[in-house]
């Protein structure tokens, strides 16, 4: 039986909430069952929407059930979240949302629960009560532990950080400076009636409205890539020079790898990641952009196991992190991450940082980056590293006249960018 869009959305939500799978993996898995771009977009809207406002939807649905579903029926709990989201946050006519969601229940093999699904959603439609905001988790649709950390880190800004993290993300482009000037590409966009403006870094362009990549002039031939404005600072701050040996540690999916190569022809770049599936994306990006790098599957905390060449002139360490800076782009992070994960992540980050440092030449530069906004993964991590590393020196980052600091924490929404962190470290020569 071919599943309808609500059933497919429920399967993706189930994969995230019940099986711990990321939405970036679960969503394409269900979208492959439909051909229409419009249908794919609706499934994405339902899944991302549920993740953004999960606590409120869950409270609303649970109030209409005598008890939550268990076992094989758990997917109907997720289906009701999808149905509730439609009633509150979409323009889909209520009768269509309810009937299609009830039909999805049948398609998911739970014929005996169709009347329950229909009744719950009709009850929600009739009441149309405002979604609850009685607790901080319900008010902000964020886990309490993340709210607590943000309040401690940003006492005067945390509410704005949360609000910005709930917004739909903009679409940023990266001009390929090997093919054309940014100003020329902006003109090409304008000729296609696509409105865009230059971003704060050299190659960044911000679209007024997101569009399908197939509409972008020269996308298939590598003229442009999709990459958030904050992530585009990595290649610019690393500032690799021709002839240098460069390591992109934890490189997948390869956006920063490609940007480094676009900016500086004539470097010898090694891209490593321990995830073989994600490394496929690195190779795909390199192929589309007609760029060359040595791509290796390996552990960035055990370079000696897969590298037997010279030490590196420059290293980009985009460290594994909580990804709390990109929640607006990946709202499932809120429900997949646990507070206990942070201590483990900071330990891993320190291990990789210490190991990569051993493979950096004296006089070389290591750029530490995360897409986190938690100080323990960022500023505090670097302070601890400097305290235990005698030959490390923190370099001032000058991203603009407004930003000139020893390290740089970008918060979600700042210049329309994702949350990101950068620290530039120089390895002092001992001679």
């Amino acid at each position: 039986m071919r599943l309808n869009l609500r059933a497919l959305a429920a399967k993706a939500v189930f994969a995230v909430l019940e099986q711990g799978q990321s939405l970036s993996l679960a969503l394409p898995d269900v979208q492959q069952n439909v051909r229409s771009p419009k249908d794919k977009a609706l499934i994405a809207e339902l899944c991302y929407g549920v993740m953004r406002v999960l606590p409120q939807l869950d409270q609303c649905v649970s109030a209409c059930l005598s008890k939550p579903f268990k076992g094989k029926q758990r997917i109907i709990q997720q289906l009701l979240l999808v149905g509730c989201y439609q009633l509150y946050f979409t323009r889909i006519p209520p009768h269509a949302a309810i009937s299609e969601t009830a039909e999805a229940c049948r398609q998911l093999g739970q014929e005996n629960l169709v009347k329950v699904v229909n009744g719950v959603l009709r009850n929600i439609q009739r009441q149309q009560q405002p979604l609850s905001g009685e607790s901080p988790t319900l008010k902000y649709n964020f886990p309490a532990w993340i709210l607590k950390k943000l309040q401690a880190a940003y006492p005067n800004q945390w509410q704005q950080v949360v609000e910005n993290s709930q917004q739909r993300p903009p679409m940023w482009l990266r001009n390929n400076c090997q093919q054309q000037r940014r100003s020329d590409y902006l003109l090409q966009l304008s000729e296609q009636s696509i409105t865009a403006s230059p971003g704060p870094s050299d190659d960044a362009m911000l679209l007024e409205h997101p569009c399908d990549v197939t509409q972008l002039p020269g996308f298939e031939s590598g003229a442009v890539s999709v990459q958030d404005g904050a992530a585009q600072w990595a290649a610019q701050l690393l500032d690799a020079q021709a002839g240098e040996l460069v390591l992109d540690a934890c490189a997948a999916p390869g956006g920063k790898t490609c940007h480094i190569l676009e900016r500086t022809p004539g470097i010898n770049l090694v891209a490593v990641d321990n995830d073989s599936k994600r490394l496929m994306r690195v190779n795909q990006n390199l192929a589309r952009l007609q760029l060359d790098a040595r791509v290796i599957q390996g552990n960035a905390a055990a370079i000696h196991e897969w590298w037997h060449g010279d030490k590196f002139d420059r290293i980009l360490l985009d460290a594994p992190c909580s990804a709390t800076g990109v929640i607006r782009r990946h709202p499932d992070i809120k429900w997949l991450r646990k507070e206990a994960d942070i201590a483990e992540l900071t330990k891993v980050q320190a291990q990789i940082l210490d190991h990569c440092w051993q493979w950096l030449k004296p006089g070389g530069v290591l750029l530490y980056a995360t897409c986190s906004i938690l100080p323990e993964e960022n500023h505090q991590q670097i302070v601890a590293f400097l305290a235990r590393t005698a030959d490390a020196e923190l370099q001032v980052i000058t991203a603009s006249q407004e930003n000139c600091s020893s390290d740089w924490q970008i918060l979600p929404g700042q210049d329309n960018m994702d949350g990101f962190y950068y620290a530039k470290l120089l390895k002092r020569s001992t001679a």
Side-chain angles (χ1 to χ4, degrees):
M1 178 187 293
R2 189 170 183 175
L3 300 181
N4 71 14
L5 304 186
R6 281 74 179 177
L8 292 170
K11 288 191 71 174
V13 173
F14 179 87
V16 174
L17 299 181
E18 302 292 329
Q19 299 174 328
Q21 193 175 142
S22 74
L23 189 55
S24 61
L25 292 177
L27 182 58
D29 194 41
V30 299
Q31 284 178 319
Q32 68 181 353
N33 293 283
V34 298
R35 292 183 178 180
S36 163
K38 187 176 179 181
D39 288 347
K40 290 179 187 288
L42 178 56
I43 295 173
E45 165 67 18
L46 297 176
C47 293
Y48 278 100
V50 167
M51 295 302 156
R52 287 194 184 96
V53 292
L54 177 63
Q56 289 184 327
L57 296 177
D58 191 50
Q59 195 271 349
C60 182
V61 166
S62 297
C64 297
L65 292 170
S66 58
K67 57 182 179 180
F69 294 110
K70 294 182 179 180
K72 293 182 179 179
Q73 296 180 342
R74 279 299 294 172
I75 195 167
I76 305 306
Q77 193 89 14
Q78 325 306 331
L79 178 63
L80 284 170
L81 297 176
V82 171
C84 187
Y85 178 79
Q86 292 172 83
L87 294 175
Y88 274 97
F89 295 100
T90 74
R91 296 180 181 178
I92 297 169
H95 69 274
I98 293 171
S99 64
E100 287 292 311
T101 305
E103 174 58 25
C105 180
R106 182 177 291 107
Q107 294 176 1
L108 290 168
Q110 301 293 335
E111 176 88 33
N112 60 319
L113 295 176
V114 171
K115 288 185 178 179
V116 176
V117 169
N118 192 64
V120 167
L121 294 180
R122 289 194 181 281
N123 189 22
I124 290 171
Q125 181 204 0
R126 278 196 304 271
Q127 294 181 4
Q128 276 295 303
Q129 296 288 333
L131 292 171
S132 175
E134 62 189 19
S135 70
T137 293
L138 287 167
K139 180 178 180 180
Y140 296 106
N141 285 295
F142 258 70
W145 73 268
I146 296 184
L147 290 176
K148 184 178 178 181
K149 283 186 174 293
L150 294 179
Q151 288 168 355
Y154 309 103
N156 300 318
Q157 299 168 277
W158 71 270
Q159 288 172 303
Q160 189 64 52
V161 170
V162 169
E163 182 179 334
N164 289 343
S165 296
Q166 287 287 81
Q167 302 304 311
R168 295 168 188 269
M171 184 171 176
W172 284 88
L173 304 179
R174 186 185 78 235
N175 178 60
N176 184 348
C177 57
Q178 290 300 306
Q179 292 202 21
Q180 68 274 313
R181 295 180 302 179
R182 178 172 64 175
S183 58
D184 292 335
Y185 192 79
L186 287 166
L187 184 59
Q188 290 183 50
L189 289 173
S190 179
E191 289 170 350
Q192 297 293 322
S193 300
I194 299 174
T195 304
S197 56
S201 59
D202 290 351
D203 304 309
M205 300 171 287
L206 179 63
L207 293 186
E208 186 174 302
H209 302 290
C211 71
D212 192 277
V213 294
T214 58
Q215 299 176 35
L216 299 173
F219 179 81
E220 288 301 327
S221 59
V224 70
S225 298
V226 177
Q227 186 180 36
D228 186 78
Q232 291 190 47
W233 278 105
Q236 189 164 329
L237 294 175
L238 186 67
D239 195 27
Q241 303 296 306
E244 290 184 334
L245 178 61
V246 178
L247 172 64
D248 185 357
C250 312
K256 300 178 188 70
T257 304
C258 293
H259 194 196
I260 294 167
L261 291 165
E262 287 172 356
R263 288 181 59 88
T264 315
I267 63 171
N268 182 5
L269 193 144
V270 177
V272 66
D273 201 280
N274 61 4
D275 189 324
S276 59
K277 289 184 178 179
R278 282 168 54 81
L279 274 180
M280 291 172 61
R281 292 278 309 280
V282 178
N283 285 313
Q284 289 166 1
N285 283 320
L286 287 167
R288 182 179 67 85
L289 295 163
Q290 300 174 48
L291 299 169
D292 291 313
R294 196 176 311 186
V295 180
I296 299 172
Q297 182 182 356
N299 183 356
I303 296 173
H304 58 282
E305 293 180 356
W306 48 264
W307 183 251
H308 305 290
D310 293 337
K311 291 187 175 183
F312 297 92
D313 296 288
R314 292 179 199 257
I315 298 175
L316 169 61
L317 172 52
D318 189 2
C321 71
S322 64
T324 43
V326 293
I327 284 173
R328 65 178 187 172
R329 215 167 283 283
H330 304 285
D332 52 315
I333 287 167
K334 294 185 291 183
W335 319 117
L336 293 175
R337 282 279 177 259
K338 302 294 183 264
E339 186 170 9
D341 295 342
I342 307 304
E344 185 60 33
L345 281 166
T346 56
K347 187 185 302 182
V348 170
Q349 290 158 3
Q351 289 171 348
I352 299 175
L353 182 53
D354 286 343
H355 186 73
C356 284
W357 193 254
Q358 297 173 27
W359 282 88
L360 184 67
K361 292 177 183 177
V365 168
L366 184 149
L367 184 67
Y368 177 85
T370 75
C371 55
S372 170
I373 53 175
L374 301 182
E376 50 261 66
E377 298 182 86
N378 297 336
H379 180 73
Q380 292 173 17
Q381 182 73 265
I382 294 304
V383 168
F385 174 74
L386 291 169
R388 66 176 180 267
T389 312
D391 57 351
E393 180 180 313
L394 190 60
Q395 300 287 284
V396 170
I397 289 176
T398 305
S400 66
Q401 290 182 341
E402 294 76 30
N403 183 77
C404 184
S405 58
S406 56
D407 56 353
W408 188 19
Q409 179 67 73
I410 304 169
L411 295 178
Q414 182 178 328
D415 289 332
N416 275 315
M417 297 188 292
D418 289 343
F420 230 84
Y421 175 82
Y422 289 109
K424 190 171 183 177
L425 298 157
L426 171 70
K427 190 169 191 176
R428 288 194 293 261
S429 176
T430 53

